[in-house]
């Protein structure tokens, strides 16, 4: 997600801001920019890294004691110089940096266009900035009041910092839903200085006195004085606390590793990927990429899903979901195989390309070939503006934020949520499911972020389980129906994080050979939550127990039957079997993580692996 840094005090501001942006690089970004205020407001920004921005600054006069900088993770508008932050208002007087999503920006933009405003970018940020300017001009009020009025109309999440060329000794900031930390320091002359940032990593080397700004609060820093207010213009008493985290820990949000941080982000990322799309009360799903091409999608003669690795596992689950709900034939292909064989592609075919990075070479080439043969390409991508998102005819972003850990976790569950939304929209349009089933799934999908939060409470017990099984040489992961691809994903996580050989299999396939592997040293992880295959998987567990296999079972709350048969159990919240993979995967992610830690593995950067396989 985006990173913001600002400084106002007596020191040279630009070195502090640029260094601060580098401290935030771990958050993932695609462009960077800086605004300086010294009589005049100057903005430099470009697509690329902070180092690329610094190159453009070489030789320029960067003298200023007020500056703010931004690293952008694109959500609206692809990565480009013009979409980078800071943005400047139409009258040139204001500059703003923003982290978050303004959900009603299209409404605000149309009002402004109607008033004659033009825009230099595709971002929601520029819309909000001109909305603030418009209010200030029309109401004849100050910037602080204009911001307060504007924020009362805004829906979505934001942390923003504003500069006003006419008030060079002031910064105004506000937050709702995205983090903002303010450091209060003293420079070498004992003068108060303020540091603002998305987290404490750009601040901690200057001061440990910080304020964590809360939702719906504004901060006005002027002439060395900080005032904290709410949107009702009431002055609040800031709670200043002492920061006790070290830099490395701050970058990981206090977690020991990015992988664990990202596993624990899943309730929020599941909420974010559904935000603005699912309204379970109204019973509506909004997804422009589907709506604008609904004819092509609902009339598809078949859907071919193309992906690699974990994304391919998401494709397998999507196959079950789409065929059940939409009654459209689905095939799931490894991109690396699809690109080299001579697949039959018909004009009415729809290709769904699933990719976290949007840069996986095999997937890019595979969909390029399909596109040449007339297929319609729909991308389910996490990285906005990535290659696959640009090749696709349409798509939906998963909005899981940057995934730093090499093992994909939060992106996977976000893919499942988005693919479910796509299937539900097509099925609803086709009339291939009842309204009762449709509304029931919307209601259950709405509960998933909270149920994911409950599932994460298993962390400590799964860490204990990991200690028990960390010395296993092999492992089997078994599931049926929707839980079969979950078994594959659990096995992949264990392999790539702990280097233990693991295989995922349909549980019923054991008797066709793999059961020969079973003995009293082999852990067999069953993904066996209550679903239409439940009674069958109970038999499969009995087959393993009869051969002295060690059974670890992921089960639904209250399932005493399997609990009595198993050596260890992981109890997850109940949900519709179609949504169960989202929850059932989480304990398997945690199991792989904790076994990897117990074995001393580098869980964020496993050996031999890259985060994005951009070569074949
Ligand atoms: C996931 O844990 C793996 N690191 C890997 O399989 C990954 O899913 C695969 O390389 C596909 O990447 P993509 O989703 O960025 O296309």
């Amino acid at each position: 997600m985006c990173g913001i840094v600002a400084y106002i005090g007596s020191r040279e501001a630009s070195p502090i801001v640029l260094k601060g942006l580098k401290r935030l690089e771990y958050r993932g970004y695609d462009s960077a920019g800086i605004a300086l205020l010294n009589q005049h407001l100057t903005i430099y920004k470009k697509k690329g890294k902070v180092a690329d921005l610094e190159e453009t600054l070489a030789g320029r006069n960067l003298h200023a004691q007020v500056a703010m900088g931004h690293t952008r993770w694109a959500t609206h508008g692809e990565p480009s110089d013009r979409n980078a932050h800071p943005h400047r208002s139409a009258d040139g007087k204001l500059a703003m940096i923003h982290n978050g999503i303004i959900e009603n920006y299209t409404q605000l933009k149309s009002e402004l266009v109607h008033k004659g405003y033009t825009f230099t970018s595709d971002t929601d940020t520029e819309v909000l900035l001109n909305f603030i300017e418009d209010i200030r001009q029309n109401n004849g009020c100050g910037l602080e009041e204009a911001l307060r009025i504007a924020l009362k109309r805004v829906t979505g999440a934001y942390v923003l910092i504003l500069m006003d060329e006419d008030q060079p000794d002031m910064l105004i900031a506000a937050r709702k839903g995205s983090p903002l930390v303010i450091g209060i320091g003293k420079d070498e002359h004992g003068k108060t200085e303020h540091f603002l940032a998305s987290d404490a990593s750009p601040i901690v080397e200057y001061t440990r006195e910080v304020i964590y700004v809360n939702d719906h609060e504004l901060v006005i820093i002027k002439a060395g004085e900080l005032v904290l207010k709410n949107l009702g213009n009431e002055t609040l008493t800031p709670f200043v606390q002492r920061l006790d985290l070290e830099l490395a820990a701050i970058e990981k949000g206090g977690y020991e590793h990015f992988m664990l941080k990202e596993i624990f982000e899943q309730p929020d990322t599941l909420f974010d990927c559904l935000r603005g799309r699912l309204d379970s009360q109204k019973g509506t799903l909004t997804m422009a990429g589907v709506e604008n091409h609904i004819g092509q999608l609902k009339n598809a003669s078949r859907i071919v899903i193309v992906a690699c690795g974990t994304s391919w596992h998401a494709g397998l689950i999507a196959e079950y979901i789409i065929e059940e709900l939409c009654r459209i034939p689905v095939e799931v292909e490894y991109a690396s195989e699809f690109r080299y064989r001579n697949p039959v592609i018909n004009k009415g075919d729809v290709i769904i390309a699933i990719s976290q990075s949007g840069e996986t070479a095999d997937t890019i080439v595979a969909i390029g070939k399909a596109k040449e043969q007339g297929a319609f390409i729909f991308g389910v991508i996490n990285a906005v503006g990535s290659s696959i998102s640009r090749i696709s005819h349409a798509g939906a972003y998963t909005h899981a934020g940057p995934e730093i850990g090499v093992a994909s976790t939060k992106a996977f569950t976000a893919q499942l949520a988005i693919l479910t939304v796509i299937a539900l929209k097509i099925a609803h349009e086709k009339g291939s499911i009842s309204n009762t089933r449709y509304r029931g799934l919307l209601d259950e999908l709405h509960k998933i972020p909270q149920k994911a939060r409950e599932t994460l409470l298993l962390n400590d017990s799964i860490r204990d389980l990991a200690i028990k099984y960390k010395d296993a040489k092999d492992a089997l992961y078994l599931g049926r129906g929707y839980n079969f691809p979950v078994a594959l994903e659990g096995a992949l996580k264990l392999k790539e994080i702990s280097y233990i050989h693991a295989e995922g299999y349909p549980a019923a396939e054991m008797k066709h050979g793999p059961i020969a592997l079973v003995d009293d040293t082999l852990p067999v992880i069953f993904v066996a939550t209550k679903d239409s295959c439940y009674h069958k998987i109970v038999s499969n567990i009995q087959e393993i127990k009869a051969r002295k296999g060690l059974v670890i079972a992921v089960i639904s709350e209250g399932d005493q039957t399997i609990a009595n048969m198993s050596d260890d159990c992981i109890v997850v919240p109940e949900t519709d079997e179609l949504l169960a993979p989202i929850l059932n995967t989480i304990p398997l992610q945690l199991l792989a993580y904790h076994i990897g830690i117990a074995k001393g593995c580098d869980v964020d950067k496993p050996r031999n692996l890259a985060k994005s396989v951009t070569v074949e």
Side-chain angles (χ1 to χ4, degrees):
M1 69 290 291
C2 306
I4 63 169
V5 182
Y7 172 81
I8 182 167
S10 309
R11 298 192 226 197
E12 279 306 311
S14 53
I16 293 171
V17 167
L18 290 167
K19 187 177 183 183
L21 291 180
K22 289 180 177 173
R23 291 270 190 239
L24 295 178
E25 287 189 304
Y26 73 89
R27 298 164 71 92
Y29 68 104
D30 47 55
S31 45
I34 186 170
L36 308 163
L37 187 43
N38 174 22
Q39 268 85 44
H40 295 296
L41 179 60
T42 313
I43 292 176
Y44 302 98
K45 60 183 185 176
K46 73 188 306 328
K47 179 182 175 184
K49 296 300 180 193
V50 176
D52 301 323
L53 174 67
E54 285 182 312
E55 272 182 32
T56 63
L57 298 175
R60 294 178 187 274
N61 173 10
L62 303 181
H63 172 61
Q65 289 165 332
V66 188
M68 63 183 182
H70 185 271
T71 49
R72 180 174 183 249
W73 170 263
T75 54
H76 291 83
E78 69 173 21
S80 62
D81 294 359
R82 68 194 188 93
N83 285 335
H85 299 208
H87 287 283
R88 188 191 290 267
S89 59
D91 68 0
K93 292 288 186 184
L94 303 178
M96 185 163 90
I97 55 178
H98 164 234
N99 177 15
I101 293 179
I102 305 301
E103 286 170 15
N104 61 332
Y105 86 100
T106 45
Q107 168 65 35
L108 300 176
K109 186 168 188 174
S110 58
E111 290 174 21
L112 291 166
V113 167
H114 189 67
K115 291 183 175 181
Y117 278 84
T118 57
F119 293 85
T120 60
S121 79
D122 310 319
T123 65
D124 51 348
T125 306
E126 190 187 9
V127 170
L128 176 56
L129 178 56
N130 282 328
F131 186 55
I132 295 162
E133 178 205 301
D134 185 60
I135 291 169
R136 183 166 77 157
Q137 286 181 358
N138 290 339
N139 296 30
C141 59
L143 181 57
E144 178 194 328
E145 182 56 20
L147 175 60
R148 232 196 317 277
I149 294 168
L151 293 180
K152 286 175 183 167
R153 273 225 36 210
V154 158
T155 59
Y158 54 80
V159 56
L160 59 90
I161 301 178
L162 272 168
M163 273 181 175
D164 181 354
E165 189 170 65
D166 295 336
Q167 300 184 75
D169 62 343
M170 182 181 77
L171 282 178
I172 297 185
R175 79 147 280 180
K176 176 181 166 254
S178 295
L180 175 63
V181 186
I182 298 181
I184 303 163
K186 296 277 186 197
D187 66 19
E188 57 188 353
H189 306 298
K191 286 189 72 176
T192 302
E193 56 189 2
H194 292 93
F195 306 80
L196 297 82
S198 307
D199 65 39
S201 49
I203 295 171
V204 68
E205 64 188 278
Y206 304 104
T207 177
R208 288 183 175 268
E209 303 299 308
V210 296
I211 297 168
Y212 286 91
V213 180
N214 298 311
D215 281 355
H216 307 295
E217 291 182 352
L218 269 70
V219 177
I220 303 95
I221 301 173
K222 187 170 177 63
E225 293 299 317
L226 181 147
V227 175
L228 185 67
K229 292 188 175 181
N230 62 21
L231 286 185
N233 199 21
E234 293 160 330
T235 301
L236 308 170
T237 305
F239 172 52
V240 182
Q241 51 189 303
R242 181 153 180 76
L243 197 61
D244 58 8
L245 278 177
E246 291 312 313
L247 182 58
I250 292 163
E251 288 178 350
K252 299 184 181 86
Y255 291 99
E256 196 178 348
H257 300 96
F258 283 114
M259 182 179 176
L260 190 61
K261 173 173 174 268
E262 287 153 8
I263 291 171
F264 273 80
E265 280 179 346
Q266 287 177 114
D268 294 334
T269 50
L270 284 164
F271 178 80
D272 287 345
C273 82
L274 294 170
R275 177 170 33 191
R277 289 170 163 156
L278 165 64
D279 184 329
S280 59
Q281 282 185 324
K282 292 181 191 158
T284 57
L285 285 172
T286 306
M287 187 176 277
V290 172
E291 287 147 18
N292 298 340
H293 303 278
I294 190 63
Q296 196 115 22
L297 295 166
K298 73 175 187 177
N299 299 319
S301 48
R302 70 173 176 157
I303 291 175
V304 180
I305 297 176
V306 176
C308 300
T310 287
S311 298
W312 183 78
H313 295 151
L316 288 177
I317 293 166
E319 174 185 14
Y320 285 58
I321 294 173
I322 295 169
E323 290 205 347
E324 177 182 334
L325 299 184
C326 310
R327 311 311 296 157
I328 297 173
V330 179
E331 294 165 30
V332 185
E333 296 268 0
Y334 279 117
S336 54
E337 288 298 308
F338 187 76
R339 65 177 282 191
Y340 284 111
R341 66 185 185 77
N342 188 13
V344 174
I345 300 288
N346 303 313
K347 195 142 181 48
D349 285 351
V350 168
I351 306 280
I352 296 181
I354 305 173
S355 177
Q356 187 285 128
S357 62
E359 300 299 344
T360 298
D362 285 325
T363 309
I364 291 172
V365 172
I367 59 177
K369 289 182 75 171
K371 190 174 179 181
E372 284 164 14
Q373 297 179 60
F376 177 78
I377 313 295
F378 191 97
V380 174
I381 311 295
N382 194 36
V384 174
S386 55
S387 302
I388 294 174
S389 67
R390 291 200 300 276
I391 295 170
S392 303
H393 292 106
Y397 287 120
T398 48
H399 290 316
E403 193 174 62
I404 309 298
V406 166
S408 189
T409 50
K410 63 175 183 174
F412 175 69
T413 49
Q415 288 167 349
L416 297 183
I418 292 299
L419 289 159
T420 304
V421 168
I422 293 165
L424 279 167
K425 277 194 75 67
I426 295 171
H428 189 56
E429 183 68 28
K430 280 189 75 170
S432 51
I433 57 170
S434 69
N435 198 44
T436 307
R437 176 83 170 122
Y438 176 72
R439 291 299 297 266
L441 282 167
L442 292 196
D443 291 344
E444 192 54 32
L445 194 52
H446 175 73
K447 296 171 189 166
I448 284 294
Q450 179 50 36
K451 290 190 174 184
R453 201 173 302 280
E454 291 163 17
T455 307
L456 288 165
L457 297 175
L458 291 164
N459 185 47
D460 292 347
S461 59
I462 290 175
R463 182 173 47 230
D464 298 342
L465 218 48
I467 302 299
K468 180 174 177 182
Y469 291 100
K470 69 181 177 64
D471 297 322
K473 294 292 173 280
D474 298 284
L476 271 179
Y477 285 71
L478 304 179
R480 296 182 75 123
Y482 286 99
N483 282 324
F484 157 50
V486 177
L488 296 178
E489 175 58 11
L492 176 61
K493 286 287 146 317
L494 187 68
K495 275 184 278 202
E496 63 178 333
I497 293 302
S498 72
Y499 316 145
I500 292 173
H501 173 251
E503 280 189 70
Y505 249 91
E509 273 298 298
M510 289 307 297
K511 52 186 169 300
H512 299 285
I515 203 160
L517 294 171
V518 177
D519 63 19
D520 59 3
T521 67
L522 181 71
V524 182
I525 295 90
F526 275 92
V527 189
T529 45
K530 287 280 177 69
D531 60 18
S532 48
C533 308
Y534 175 77
H535 296 294
K536 296 295 180 190
I537 208 159
V538 169
S539 314
N540 298 143
I541 294 172
Q542 284 162 342
E543 290 160 12
I544 298 297
K545 286 309 294 173
R547 291 156 180 86
K548 301 187 178 12
L550 303 170
V551 171
I552 303 161
V554 177
I555 60 174
S556 302
E557 287 157 334
D559 181 357
Q560 208 47 50
T561 304
I562 294 182
N564 292 339
M565 300 163 65
S566 305
D567 297 85
D568 291 284
C569 284
I570 300 169
V571 181
V572 295
E574 281 234 55
T575 185
D576 190 289
E577 69 174 313
L578 188 142
L579 302 174
I582 297 174
L583 302 182
N584 297 350
T585 303
I586 295 173
L588 305 185
Q589 296 167 345
L590 289 169
L591 184 63
Y593 170 79
H594 286 300
I595 289 178
I597 294 296
K599 295 188 66 181
C601 299
D602 182 350
V603 292
D604 279 338
K605 298 188 186 70
R607 68 186 182 196
N608 311 335
L609 290 179
K611 180 58 189 170
S612 177
V613 184
T614 56
V615 293
E616 59 171 297

